[in-house]
Amino acid sequence: MSDAIGPGDLVLCVNAGPNHATGRPSNLRAGETYRVLTVMDFACPCGRSDALLDVGVEFAWCQTRFRLLPKPRAQAKPVKVSAPREVEKVR
């Protein structure tokens, strides 16, 4: 899964359980969206993932806590067209 996730991607937190290694409560919120800052190719102590994600909350989290969100599609911006103005002549 770490091949699919890269820096700048948006991920959805699906598991806000305690930290795998320390057992302390996490500061993550289930259902919140986070932006990935770094992908670290280290195996998580839980053995379920091959990378840790840095999302700017504490240090790094097991990638099994997150689901990759699809990239937003580019939206067409309305193009402003300038047309010559018609001027009425007054006699």
Side-chain angles (χ1 to χ4, degrees):
M1 184 170 145
S2 62
D3 295 338
I5 296 177
D9 286 342
L10 291 176
V11 290
L12 178 69
C13 178
V14 294
N15 178 1
N19 189 318
H20 293 330
T22 63
R24 294 190 320 205
S26 69
N27 292 333
L28 299 172
R29 299 281 177 240
E32 282 195 11
T33 303
Y34 296 93
R35 185 169 301 278
V36 176
L37 301 175
T38 317
V39 177
M40 293 174 261
D41 293 325
F42 296 107
C44 182
C46 72
R48 292 179 289 183
S49 92
D50 59 350
L52 298 174
L53 302 178
D54 182 6
V55 292
V57 177
E58 291 186 16
F59 180 62
W61 298 98
C62 178
Q63 71 182 10
T64 59
R65 293 180 178 266
F66 303 99
R67 297 295 175 261
L68 180 63
L69 292 175
K71 295 191 186 298
R73 295 182 179 174
Q75 296 181 0
K77 295 180 182 176
V79 178
K80 194 172 190 179
V81 179
S82 61
R85 294 184 181 167
E86 294 182 22
V87 180
E88 292 183 23
K89 293 183 181 178
V90 179
R91 290 187 185 202

Coordinates of all heavy atoms in Angstrom, one line a residue:
M1 N 0.8 -1.2 0.0 CA 0.0 0.0 0.0 C 0.9 1.3 0.0 O 0.4 2.3 -0.5 CB -0.9 0.0 1.2 CG -1.9 1.1 1.2 SD -3.1 0.9 2.5 CE -3.3 2.5 3.1
S2 N 2.1 1.2 0.5 CA 2.9 2.4 0.6 C 3.3 2.9 -0.8 O 3.6 4.1 -0.9 CB 4.1 2.1 1.4 OG 4.9 1.1 0.8
D3 N 3.2 2.1 -1.8 CA 3.5 2.5 -3.2 C 2.4 3.5 -3.7 O 2.7 4.4 -4.5 CB 3.6 1.3 -4.1 CG 4.8 0.5 -3.8 OD1 5.7 1.0 -3.1 OD2 4.8 -0.7 -4.2
A4 N 1.2 3.3 -3.2 CA 0.1 4.1 -3.6 C 0.0 5.5 -2.9 O -0.5 6.4 -3.5 CB -1.2 3.4 -3.4
I5 N 0.6 5.5 -1.7 CA 0.5 6.8 -0.9 C 1.8 7.5 -1.1 O 2.9 6.9 -1.0 CB 0.2 6.5 0.6 CG1 -1.1 5.8 0.7 CG2 0.3 7.7 1.4 CD1 -1.5 5.4 2.1
G6 N 1.7 8.8 -1.2 CA 2.9 9.7 -1.3 C 2.7 11.0 -0.6 O 1.6 11.3 -0.2
P7 N 3.8 11.8 -0.5 CA 3.7 13.1 0.2 C 2.6 13.9 -0.5 O 2.6 14.0 -1.8 CB 5.1 13.6 0.1 CG 6.0 12.5 -0.1 CD 5.2 11.5 -0.9
G8 N 1.8 14.6 0.2 CA 0.8 15.5 -0.3 C -0.5 14.8 -0.5 O -1.5 15.5 -0.8
D9 N -0.6 13.5 -0.4 CA -1.9 12.8 -0.6 C -2.8 13.1 0.6 O -2.3 13.3 1.7 CB -1.7 11.3 -0.8 CG -1.1 11.0 -2.1 OD1 -1.2 11.8 -3.1 OD2 -0.6 9.8 -2.3
L10 N -4.1 13.0 0.3 CA -5.1 13.1 1.4 C -5.5 11.7 1.9 O -5.7 10.9 1.0 CB -6.3 13.9 1.0 CG -6.1 15.4 0.7 CD1 -7.4 16.0 0.1 CD2 -5.7 16.1 1.9
V11 N -5.5 11.5 3.2 CA -5.9 10.2 3.8 C -7.0 10.5 4.8 O -7.1 11.5 5.4 CB -4.7 9.5 4.4 CG1 -3.8 9.0 3.3 CG2 -4.0 10.3 5.4
L12 N -7.9 9.5 4.9 CA -8.9 9.5 5.9 C -8.6 8.6 7.1 O -8.2 7.5 6.9 CB -10.2 9.0 5.3 CG -11.5 9.0 6.2 CD1 -11.9 10.4 6.5 CD2 -12.6 8.2 5.5
C13 N -8.7 9.1 8.3 CA -8.4 8.3 9.5 C -9.6 7.4 9.8 O -10.7 7.9 9.9 CB -8.1 9.2 10.7 SG -7.8 8.3 12.2
V14 N -9.3 6.1 9.8 CA -10.4 5.2 10.1 C -10.2 4.5 11.4 O -11.1 3.8 11.9 CB -10.6 4.1 9.0 CG1 -11.0 4.8 7.7 CG2 -9.3 3.4 8.8
N15 N -9.1 4.7 12.1 CA -8.8 4.0 13.4 C -8.1 5.0 14.3 O -6.9 5.3 14.0 CB -8.0 2.8 13.1 CG -7.6 2.0 14.4 OD1 -8.0 2.4 15.5 ND2 -6.9 1.0 14.2
A16 N -8.8 5.4 15.3 CA -8.1 6.4 16.2 C -7.8 5.7 17.6 O -7.8 6.3 18.6 CB -9.0 7.6 16.5
G17 N -7.5 4.4 17.5 CA -7.2 3.6 18.7 C -5.9 4.0 19.3 O -5.2 4.9 18.7
P18 N -5.5 3.5 20.4 CA -4.2 3.8 21.1 C -3.0 3.5 20.2 O -3.1 2.6 19.3 CB -4.2 3.1 22.4 CG -5.5 2.3 22.4 CD -6.2 2.5 21.2
N19 N -1.9 4.1 20.5 CA -0.6 3.9 19.8 C -0.3 2.4 19.9 O -0.3 1.8 21.0 CB 0.4 4.8 20.4 CG 1.7 4.7 19.6 OD1 2.2 3.7 19.2 ND2 2.3 5.9 19.5
H20 N 0.1 1.7 18.8 CA 0.5 0.3 18.9 C 1.7 0.0 19.8 O 1.7 -0.9 20.5 CB 0.9 -0.1 17.5 CG -0.2 -0.1 16.4 ND1 -1.5 -0.4 16.7 CD2 -0.1 0.0 15.1 CE1 -2.2 -0.3 15.7 NE2 -1.4 -0.1 14.6
A21 N 2.7 0.9 19.7 CA 3.9 0.6 20.5 C 3.8 1.0 22.0 O 4.2 0.2 22.8 CB 5.1 1.3 19.8
T22 N 3.2 2.1 22.3 CA 3.2 2.6 23.6 C 1.9 2.4 24.4 O 1.9 2.4 25.6 CB 3.5 4.1 23.7 OG1 2.5 4.8 23.0 CG2 4.9 4.5 23.0
G23 N 0.8 2.2 23.7 CA -0.4 2.0 24.3 C -1.1 3.3 24.7 O -2.2 3.3 25.3
R24 N -0.4 4.5 24.5 CA -1.0 5.8 24.9 C -2.1 6.1 23.9 O -2.1 5.8 22.7 CB 0.1 6.8 24.9 CG 1.1 6.6 26.0 CD 2.0 7.8 26.2 NE 2.4 8.3 24.9 CZ 3.5 9.0 24.6 NH1 4.3 9.2 25.6 NH2 3.7 9.5 23.5
P25 N -3.1 6.9 24.3 CA -4.1 7.4 23.4 C -3.6 8.2 22.3 O -2.6 9.0 22.5 CB -5.1 8.2 24.3 CG -4.6 8.0 25.7 CD -3.3 7.4 25.7
S26 N -4.2 8.1 21.1 CA -3.7 8.9 20.0 C -4.4 10.2 19.9 O -5.5 10.4 20.4 CB -3.8 8.1 18.7 OG -5.2 8.0 18.4
N27 N -3.8 11.2 19.3 CA -4.4 12.5 19.0 C -5.2 12.5 17.7 O -5.7 13.6 17.3 CB -3.4 13.6 19.0 CG -2.8 13.8 20.4 OD1 -3.4 13.5 21.4 ND2 -1.6 14.3 20.5
L28 N -5.2 11.4 17.0 CA -6.0 11.4 15.8 C -7.5 11.3 16.0 O -7.9 10.8 17.1 CB -5.5 10.1 15.0 CG -4.1 10.0 14.6 CD1 -3.8 8.7 14.0 CD2 -3.7 11.1 13.6
R29 N -8.2 11.7 15.1 CA -9.7 11.7 15.2 C -10.2 10.9 14.0 O -9.9 11.2 12.8 CB -10.3 13.1 15.1 CG -9.9 14.0 16.2 CD -10.6 13.7 17.5 NE -10.1 14.5 18.6 CZ -9.6 14.0 19.7 NH1 -9.5 12.7 19.9 NH2 -9.2 14.8 20.6
A30 N -11.0 9.8 14.3 CA -11.6 9.0 13.2 C -12.5 9.9 12.4 O -13.3 10.6 13.0 CB -12.3 7.8 13.8
G31 N -12.5 9.7 11.1 CA -13.3 10.5 10.2 C -12.7 11.8 9.7 O -13.3 12.5 8.9
E32 N -11.6 12.2 10.3 CA -10.9 13.4 9.9 C -9.9 13.1 8.7 O -9.4 12.0 8.6 CB -10.1 14.1 11.0 CG -11.0 14.8 12.0 CD -10.2 15.8 12.9 OE1 -9.0 16.0 12.6 OE2 -10.8 16.3 13.8
T33 N -9.7 14.1 7.9 CA -8.8 14.0 6.8 C -7.5 14.6 7.1 O -7.4 15.7 7.7 CB -9.4 14.8 5.5 OG1 -10.7 14.2 5.3 CG2 -8.5 14.6 4.3
Y34 N -6.4 14.0 6.7 CA -5.1 14.4 7.0 C -4.3 14.4 5.7 O -4.5 13.6 4.8 CB -4.3 13.5 8.0 CG -5.0 13.6 9.4 CD1 -5.9 12.6 9.7 CD2 -4.7 14.5 10.3 CE1 -6.5 12.6 11.0 CE2 -5.3 14.5 11.6 CZ -6.2 13.6 11.9 OH -6.8 13.6 13.1
R35 N -3.3 15.3 5.6 CA -2.4 15.4 4.4 C -1.1 14.7 4.8 O -0.5 15.0 5.9 CB -2.1 16.8 4.0 CG -1.3 16.9 2.7 CD -1.2 18.3 2.2 NE -2.5 18.8 1.8 CZ -3.2 18.5 0.7 NH1 -2.7 17.7 -0.2 NH2 -4.4 19.1 0.5
V36 N -0.6 13.8 4.0 CA 0.6 13.0 4.3 C 1.8 13.9 4.0 O 1.9 14.5 3.0 CB 0.7 11.8 3.4 CG1 2.0 11.1 3.6 CG2 -0.5 10.8 3.6
L37 N 2.6 14.1 5.0 CA 3.9 14.8 4.9 C 5.0 14.0 4.4 O 5.8 14.4 3.5 CB 4.2 15.5 6.2 CG 3.2 16.4 6.8 CD1 3.6 16.9 8.2 CD2 2.9 17.6 5.9
T38 N 5.1 12.8 5.0 CA 6.2 11.9 4.6 C 5.8 10.4 4.7 O 5.0 10.1 5.6 CB 7.4 12.1 5.6 OG1 7.6 13.4 5.8 CG2 8.7 11.5 5.0
V39 N 6.3 9.6 3.9 CA 6.1 8.1 4.0 C 7.4 7.5 4.4 O 8.4 7.7 3.6 CB 5.6 7.5 2.7 CG1 5.4 6.0 2.8 CG2 4.3 8.2 2.2
M40 N 7.5 6.9 5.5 CA 8.7 6.3 6.0 C 8.6 4.7 5.8 O 7.7 4.1 6.3 CB 8.9 6.6 7.5 CG 9.2 8.1 7.6 SD 9.3 8.5 9.4 CE 7.7 9.2 9.6
D41 N 9.6 4.2 5.1 CA 9.6 2.7 4.8 C 10.1 1.9 6.0 O 11.2 1.3 5.9 CB 10.4 2.5 3.5 CG 9.7 3.0 2.3 OD1 8.5 3.0 2.3 OD2 10.4 3.5 1.4
F42 N 9.4 2.0 7.1 CA 9.7 1.2 8.2 C 8.5 0.3 8.6 O 7.4 0.8 8.5 CB 10.1 2.1 9.5 CG 11.3 2.9 9.3 CD1 11.2 4.3 9.1 CD2 12.6 2.4 9.3 CE1 12.3 5.1 8.9 CE2 13.7 3.2 9.1 CZ 13.5 4.5 8.9
A43 N 8.7 -0.9 8.9 CA 7.6 -1.8 9.3 C 7.1 -1.3 10.6 O 7.8 -1.0 11.5 CB 8.1 -3.2 9.3
C44 N 5.8 -1.3 10.7 CA 5.1 -1.0 12.0 C 5.3 -2.1 13.0 O 5.3 -3.3 12.6 CB 3.6 -0.7 11.7 SG 2.8 -0.2 13.2
P45 N 5.4 -1.9 14.3 CA 5.6 -2.9 15.2 C 4.4 -3.9 15.3 O 4.5 -5.0 15.7 CB 5.7 -2.2 16.6 CG 6.1 -0.8 16.2 CD 5.6 -0.5 14.9
C46 N 3.2 -3.5 14.8 CA 2.0 -4.4 14.8 C 2.2 -5.4 13.7 O 1.5 -6.4 13.8 CB 0.8 -3.6 14.6 SG 0.5 -2.9 12.9
G47 N 3.0 -5.2 12.7 CA 3.3 -6.2 11.7 C 2.2 -6.2 10.6 O 2.3 -7.0 9.7
R48 N 1.3 -5.2 10.6 CA 0.3 -5.2 9.6 C 0.6 -4.2 8.4 O -0.1 -4.2 7.4 CB -1.0 -4.7 10.2 CG -1.6 -5.8 11.1 CD -2.9 -5.3 11.7 NE -2.6 -4.3 12.7 CZ -3.5 -3.7 13.4 NH1 -4.7 -4.0 13.3 NH2 -3.1 -2.8 14.3
S49 N 1.6 -3.4 8.5 CA 1.9 -2.5 7.5 C 3.4 -2.4 7.2 O 4.2 -2.7 8.0 CB 1.4 -1.1 7.8 OG 2.3 -0.3 8.4
D50 N 3.8 -2.0 6.0 CA 5.2 -1.9 5.6 C 5.7 -0.4 5.6 O 6.8 -0.2 5.1 CB 5.4 -2.5 4.2 CG 4.5 -1.8 3.1 OD1 3.7 -1.0 3.5 OD2 4.7 -2.1 2.0
A51 N 4.9 0.5 6.1 CA 5.3 1.9 6.1 C 4.6 2.7 7.2 O 3.5 2.3 7.7 CB 5.1 2.6 4.8
L52 N 5.3 3.7 7.7 CA 4.7 4.6 8.6 C 4.4 6.0 7.9 O 5.2 6.4 7.1 CB 5.6 4.8 9.8 CG 5.9 3.6 10.6 CD1 7.0 3.9 11.7 CD2 4.7 3.0 11.3
L53 N 3.3 6.6 8.3 CA 2.9 7.9 7.7 C 3.1 9.0 8.7 O 2.6 8.9 9.8 CB 1.5 7.8 7.2 CG 1.1 6.8 6.2 CD1 -0.4 6.8 5.8 CD2 2.0 6.8 4.9
D54 N 3.7 10.1 8.2 CA 3.8 11.3 9.1 C 2.7 12.2 8.5 O 2.7 12.7 7.4 CB 5.1 11.9 8.9 CG 5.3 13.2 9.8 OD1 4.4 13.5 10.6 OD2 6.3 13.8 9.7
V55 N 1.7 12.5 9.4 CA 0.6 13.4 9.0 C 0.6 14.7 9.8 O -0.4 15.4 9.8 CB -0.8 12.7 9.1 CG1 -0.9 11.6 8.1 CG2 -1.0 12.2 10.5
G56 N 1.7 15.0 10.5 CA 1.8 16.2 11.3 C 1.2 16.1 12.7 O 1.2 17.1 13.4
V57 N 0.7 15.0 13.1 CA 0.2 14.8 14.4 C 1.2 13.9 15.1 O 1.3 12.7 14.8 CB -1.2 14.2 14.4 CG1 -1.7 13.9 15.8 CG2 -2.1 15.1 13.7
E58 N 1.9 14.4 16.2 CA 2.9 13.6 16.9 C 4.0 13.2 15.9 O 4.5 14.0 15.1 CB 2.3 12.5 17.7 CG 1.5 13.0 18.9 CD 1.0 11.9 19.8 OE1 1.5 10.7 19.7 OE2 0.1 12.1 20.6
F59 N 4.4 11.9 15.9 CA 5.5 11.5 15.0 C 5.0 10.8 13.7 O 4.8 11.4 12.7 CB 6.5 10.7 15.8 CG 7.7 10.3 14.9 CD1 8.5 11.2 14.4 CD2 7.9 8.9 14.6 CE1 9.6 10.8 13.6 CE2 9.0 8.5 13.8 CZ 9.8 9.5 13.3
A60 N 4.8 9.5 13.8 CA 4.4 8.8 12.6 C 3.4 7.7 13.0 O 3.4 7.2 14.2 CB 5.6 8.1 11.9
W61 N 2.5 7.3 12.1 CA 1.4 6.4 12.4 C 1.4 5.3 11.4 O 1.8 5.4 10.2 CB 0.1 7.1 12.4 CG 0.0 8.2 13.4 CD1 0.2 9.6 13.2 CD2 -0.3 8.1 14.8 NE1 0.1 10.2 14.4 CE2 -0.2 9.3 15.4 CE3 -0.6 7.0 15.6 CZ2 -0.4 9.5 16.7 CZ3 -0.8 7.2 16.9 CH2 -0.7 8.5 17.5
C62 N 0.9 4.1 11.8 CA 0.8 3.0 11.0 C -0.2 3.3 9.9 O -1.2 3.9 10.1 CB 0.3 1.8 11.9 SG 0.0 0.3 10.9
Q63 N 0.2 2.9 8.7 CA -0.7 3.3 7.5 C -2.0 2.5 7.5 O -3.0 2.9 6.8 CB 0.0 3.1 6.2 CG 0.2 1.6 5.9 CD 1.0 1.5 4.6 OE1 1.5 2.5 4.1 NE2 1.1 0.3 4.0
T64 N -2.2 1.5 8.4 CA -3.4 0.8 8.4 C -4.5 1.6 9.1 O -5.7 1.3 9.0 CB -3.3 -0.6 9.2 OG1 -2.9 -0.3 10.5 CG2 -2.4 -1.5 8.5
R65 N -4.1 2.7 9.8 CA -5.1 3.6 10.4 C -5.8 4.5 9.3 O -6.8 5.2 9.6 CB -4.4 4.6 11.4 CG -3.9 3.9 12.6 CD -3.2 4.9 13.5 NE -2.7 4.3 14.7 CZ -3.4 4.3 15.8 NH1 -4.6 4.8 15.9 NH2 -2.9 3.7 16.9
F66 N -5.3 4.5 8.1 CA -5.7 5.5 7.1 C -6.2 4.8 5.8 O -5.8 3.7 5.5 CB -4.6 6.5 6.8 CG -4.1 7.2 8.0 CD1 -2.9 6.8 8.6 CD2 -4.7 8.3 8.4 CE1 -2.4 7.5 9.7 CE2 -4.2 9.0 9.5 CZ -3.1 8.6 10.1
R67 N -7.1 5.5 5.1 CA -7.5 5.1 3.8 C -7.2 6.2 2.8 O -7.5 7.4 3.1 CB -8.9 4.7 3.7 CG -9.4 3.6 4.6 CD -8.7 2.3 4.1 NE -9.0 1.2 5.0 CZ -8.2 0.7 6.0 NH1 -7.1 1.3 6.2 NH2 -8.6 -0.3 6.7
L68 N -6.6 5.9 1.7 CA -6.3 6.9 0.7 C -7.5 7.5 0.1 O -8.4 6.7 -0.4 CB -5.3 6.3 -0.4 CG -4.9 7.2 -1.5 CD1 -4.0 8.4 -0.9 CD2 -4.1 6.4 -2.5
L69 N -7.6 8.8 0.0 CA -8.8 9.4 -0.6 C -8.4 9.7 -2.1 O -7.3 10.0 -2.4 CB -9.1 10.8 0.1 CG -9.7 10.6 1.5 CD1 -9.8 12.0 2.1 CD2 -11.0 9.9 1.5
P70 N -9.4 9.6 -3.0 CA -9.1 9.9 -4.4 C -8.7 11.4 -4.6 O -9.1 12.3 -3.8 CB -10.4 9.7 -5.1 CG -11.5 9.7 -4.1 CD -10.8 9.3 -2.8
K71 N -7.8 11.6 -5.5 CA -7.4 13.0 -5.8 C -8.5 13.8 -6.4 O -9.3 13.3 -7.2 CB -6.2 12.9 -6.8 CG -5.0 12.3 -6.2 CD -3.8 12.5 -7.1 CE -2.6 11.7 -6.7 NZ -2.1 12.0 -5.4
P72 N -8.7 15.0 -6.0 CA -9.8 15.8 -6.5 C -9.6 16.1 -8.0 O -8.4 16.3 -8.4 CB -9.7 17.1 -5.7 CG -8.4 17.1 -5.0 CD -7.9 15.7 -5.0
R73 N -10.6 16.0 -8.7 CA -10.6 16.3 -10.2 C -10.5 17.8 -10.4 O -11.1 18.6 -9.7 CB -11.8 15.7 -10.9 CG -11.8 14.2 -10.8 CD -13.0 13.7 -11.6 NE -13.0 12.3 -11.5 CZ -14.0 11.5 -12.0 NH1 -15.0 12.1 -12.5 NH2 -14.0 10.2 -11.9
A74 N -9.8 18.1 -11.4 CA -9.7 19.6 -11.8 C -11.0 20.0 -12.3 O -11.7 19.4 -13.1 CB -8.6 19.8 -12.9
Q75 N -11.5 21.2 -11.8 CA -12.7 21.7 -12.2 C -12.5 22.8 -13.2 O -11.6 23.6 -13.1 CB -13.5 22.2 -11.0 CG -13.9 21.2 -10.1 CD -14.7 21.7 -8.9 OE1 -15.0 22.9 -8.8 NE2 -15.1 20.8 -8.0
A76 N -13.3 22.8 -14.3 CA -13.2 23.9 -15.3 C -13.6 25.2 -14.7 O -14.7 25.4 -14.1 CB -14.0 23.5 -16.5
K77 N -12.8 26.2 -14.9 CA -13.1 27.6 -14.4 C -13.8 28.3 -15.6 O -13.4 28.2 -16.7 CB -11.8 28.3 -14.0 CG -11.1 27.7 -12.8 CD -9.9 28.5 -12.5 CE -9.2 27.9 -11.3 NZ -7.9 28.5 -11.0
P78 N -14.8 29.0 -15.3 CA -15.5 29.8 -16.3 C -14.5 30.8 -16.9 O -13.8 31.5 -16.2 CB -16.6 30.5 -15.6 CG -16.4 30.4 -14.2 CD -15.4 29.3 -14.0
V79 N -14.5 30.8 -18.2 CA -13.6 31.7 -18.9 C -14.3 33.0 -19.2 O -15.4 33.0 -19.8 CB -13.1 31.1 -20.3 CG1 -12.2 32.1 -21.0 CG2 -12.4 29.8 -20.0
K80 N -13.7 34.1 -18.8 CA -14.4 35.4 -19.1 C -14.0 35.9 -20.5 O -12.8 36.1 -20.8 CB -13.9 36.4 -18.0 CG -14.7 37.7 -17.9 CD -14.3 38.5 -16.7 CE -15.2 39.6 -16.5 NZ -14.9 40.4 -15.4
V81 N -15.0 36.1 -21.3 CA -14.8 36.5 -22.7 C -15.1 38.0 -22.8 O -16.1 38.4 -22.4 CB -15.7 35.7 -23.6 CG1 -15.4 36.2 -25.1 CG2 -15.4 34.2 -23.5
S82 N -14.1 38.7 -23.3 CA -14.4 40.1 -23.5 C -14.9 40.4 -24.9 O -14.4 40.0 -25.9 CB -13.1 41.0 -23.2 OG -12.1 40.6 -24.2
A83 N -16.1 41.0 -24.9 CA -16.7 41.3 -26.2 C -16.7 42.9 -26.4 O -16.8 43.6 -25.4 CB -18.1 40.8 -26.3
P84 N -16.6 43.3 -27.6 CA -16.6 44.8 -27.8 C -18.0 45.3 -27.4 O -19.0 44.7 -27.7 CB -16.3 45.0 -29.2 CG -16.6 43.7 -29.9 CD -16.4 42.6 -28.8
R85 N -18.0 46.5 -26.8 CA -19.3 47.1 -26.4 C -19.8 47.9 -27.5 O -19.1 48.6 -28.2 CB -19.1 48.0 -25.2 CG -18.7 47.2 -23.9 CD -18.6 48.2 -22.8 NE -18.2 47.4 -21.6 CZ -17.8 48.0 -20.5 NH1 -17.7 49.3 -20.4 NH2 -17.5 47.2 -19.4
E86 N -21.1 47.8 -27.7 CA -21.8 48.6 -28.7 C -22.1 50.0 -28.1 O -22.7 50.1 -27.0 CB -23.0 47.9 -29.2 CG -22.7 46.6 -29.9 CD -24.0 46.0 -30.5 OE1 -25.0 46.7 -30.7 OE2 -23.9 44.8 -30.7
V87 N -21.8 51.0 -28.8 CA -22.0 52.4 -28.3 C -23.0 53.0 -29.3 O -22.9 53.0 -30.5 CB -20.7 53.2 -28.3 CG1 -21.0 54.6 -27.8 CG2 -19.7 52.5 -27.4
E88 N -24.1 53.6 -28.7 CA -25.1 54.3 -29.5 C -24.6 55.7 -29.8 O -24.1 56.4 -28.9 CB -26.4 54.3 -28.8 CG -27.1 53.0 -28.7 CD -28.4 53.1 -28.0 OE1 -29.0 54.2 -28.0 OE2 -28.9 52.1 -27.4
K89 N -24.7 56.1 -31.0 CA -24.3 57.5 -31.4 C -25.5 58.4 -31.2 O -26.6 58.2 -31.6 CB -23.9 57.6 -32.8 CG -22.6 56.8 -33.0 CD -22.1 57.0 -34.5 CE -20.8 56.2 -34.7 NZ -20.4 56.3 -36.0
V90 N -25.3 59.5 -30.5 CA -26.3 60.5 -30.2 C -26.1 61.7 -31.2 O -25.0 62.2 -31.3 CB -26.2 61.0 -28.8 CG1 -27.3 62.1 -28.5 CG2 -26.4 59.8 -27.9
R91 N -27.1 62.2 -31.9 CA -27.0 63.3 -32.8 C -27.5 64.5 -32.3 O -28.3 64.7 -31.5 CB -27.8 63.0 -34.1 CG -27.1 61.9 -34.9 CD -27.8 61.8 -36.2 NE -27.2 60.7 -36.9 CZ -27.3 60.5 -38.2 NH1 -27.9 61.4 -38.9 NH2 -26.8 59.5 -38.7

